[in-house]
Amino acid sequence: MPMKLPFFKSKKEEIPIQTEELTNVPEHVAIIMDGNGRWAKQKGLPRIAGHKAGMDVVKDTVETAVKHNIKILTLFAFSTENWKRPKHEVEYLLRLPKEFLHIYLPDLIKNNVRIETIGDFDSLPGYTKEAVQYAKEKTKDNDGLLLNFALNYGSRKEILRAIKSMMEDMDNEEFSLEQVDEKLLSKYLYTHNVSDPDLLIRTSGEQRLSNFLLWQLAYTEFWFTDVLWPDFTEEVFVKALMDYQNRSRRYGGI
Ligand code: FPP
């Protein structure tokens, strides 16, 4: 039985950032949490130690998102390409959601967080599905932060799946070809019930999308940092939020 850790009581020093300073907080933040392996390597630890540290940073990041009134936080936790990793690493990564929820679910519930996922949920192992399904059920009526885990998620597969499903419905005469537009396609994506991300953060210095939310990020602001995910702190998160304040979003207009 792992020790229950305090969730919203950080032992770290409070950062002197006033929430009032952030006048334009992104409603939806998506994060590519990258650099766990390199973090572990730098410390002479096995890669999975980086993932474990990364899991604890997820807790801190949720705390910061709640504090700054972000409405949706989408975290890329396991991609459809991550199956290519060594078997023991894949299994460790897929056990992390259960471990995370075992420790933090009571605090997430207390703090009105709702848990959801995007991705091919059915193909996940039973131990992942059961833990996450239980958490979804337990938090379904919460109306605070939506914590959206991208689990077994790949954007191209998501788009293909949407197109196939849309074609089936068109065959069944639910709509005509003329009615197919961006809005309709969006309804077939895993993200049909959430707004597109306003801000995308990727850690570890890599500047690519890695098959993450390709459709949904069309007008999203990007923010990259060299910080490795296990070193991602409230201070770094707030830096991204402060930077977002100065972005002028024109959506192709002037
Ligand atoms: C990429 O770093 C990270 C992942 C593939 C996994 C991300 C998962 C977590 C941060 C923990 C998830 C926690 C929960 C609660 C589900 P990498 O391993 O590719 O790092 P590297 O590029 O340095 O090798």
Side-chain angles (χ1 to χ4, degrees):
M1 179 85 174
M3 194 173 70
K4 189 173 175 299
L5 299 177
F7 186 59
F8 285 107
K9 279 188 213 112
S10 171
K11 279 191 223 97
K12 279 175 258 151
E13 245 178 70
E14 270 297 297
I15 290 153
I17 298 279
Q18 301 296 314
T19 312
E20 297 80 64
E21 282 179 37
L22 300 171
T23 48
N24 175 30
V25 176
E27 178 178 292
H28 183 174
V29 177
I31 308 183
I32 302 178
M33 310 179 286
D34 197 8
N36 296 346
R38 276 162 285 167
W39 181 90
K41 196 172 173 201
Q42 281 174 7
K43 294 189 155 27
L45 298 169
R47 290 179 57 82
I48 56 170
H51 297 316
K52 169 71 175 69
M55 180 193 86
D56 293 327
V57 171
V58 167
K59 180 267 295 180
D60 293 341
T61 304
V62 170
E63 181 179 339
T64 304
V66 169
K67 181 171 167 183
H68 293 286
N69 212 19
I70 288 162
K71 301 282 180 262
I72 307 163
L73 181 65
T74 298
L75 302 177
F76 205 4
F78 191 87
S79 78
T80 45
E81 288 72 34
N82 287 152
W83 293 101
K84 292 182 206 149
R85 294 186 177 209
K87 200 167 165 254
H88 76 279
E89 185 172 338
V90 168
E91 187 175 335
Y92 192 85
L93 280 169
L94 292 175
R95 284 196 185 277
L96 277 183
K98 181 173 177 176
E99 169 82 358
F100 174 80
L101 293 166
H102 183 70
I103 303 171
Y104 298 120
L105 184 60
D107 297 298
L108 292 166
I109 292 170
K110 231 181 276 163
N111 287 288
N112 200 21
V113 172
R114 179 159 68 94
I115 293 165
E116 263 304 337
T117 59
I118 52 172
D120 179 4
F121 193 76
D122 292 344
S123 307
L124 288 166
Y127 52 79
T128 317
K129 281 194 284 197
E130 279 158 31
V132 175
Q133 194 52 46
Y134 178 77
K136 284 184 186 182
E137 199 49 44
K138 279 278 176 198
T139 61
K140 68 179 190 323
D141 296 324
N142 292 353
D143 58 4
L145 175 78
L146 168 60
L147 175 56
N148 198 20
F149 284 111
L151 266 179
N152 199 16
Y153 175 86
S155 192
R156 289 187 172 181
K157 282 210 168 75
E158 175 189 37
I159 294 168
L160 268 177
R161 173 183 170 272
I163 292 171
K164 282 182 184 169
S165 172
M166 224 164 71
M167 286 168 91
E168 257 172 38
D169 289 349
M170 203 167 78
D171 269 356
N172 294 333
E173 297 183 352
E174 288 183 30
F175 50 81
S176 68
L177 186 59
E178 290 66 41
Q179 286 170 289
V180 177
D181 59 10
E182 291 180 17
K183 206 169 155 196
L184 187 71
L185 178 59
S186 296
K187 284 192 185 141
Y188 284 84
L189 298 174
Y190 292 124
T191 48
H192 59 91
N193 54 355
V194 292
S195 56
D196 289 342
D198 300 292
L199 176 66
L200 171 82
I201 296 173
R202 182 169 189 154
T203 58
S204 90
E206 308 293 350
Q207 301 196 359
R208 55 174 172 265
L209 289 182
S210 302
N211 203 13
F212 189 45
L213 301 173
L214 302 179
W215 174 274
Q216 297 85 343
L217 295 174
Y219 288 102
T220 300
E221 297 296 324
F222 290 5
W223 194 82
F224 299 106
T225 174
D226 288 340
V227 169
L228 303 175
W229 177 252
D231 291 328
F232 189 80
T233 55
E234 175 174 11
E235 198 173 1
V236 182
F237 199 170
V238 169
K239 223 162 140 186
L241 297 177
M242 297 292 268
D243 195 61
Y244 178 82
Q245 309 294 294
N246 303 320
R247 304 285 179 100
S248 156
R249 302 184 72 189
R250 294 186 294 276
Y251 301 91
I254 51 170

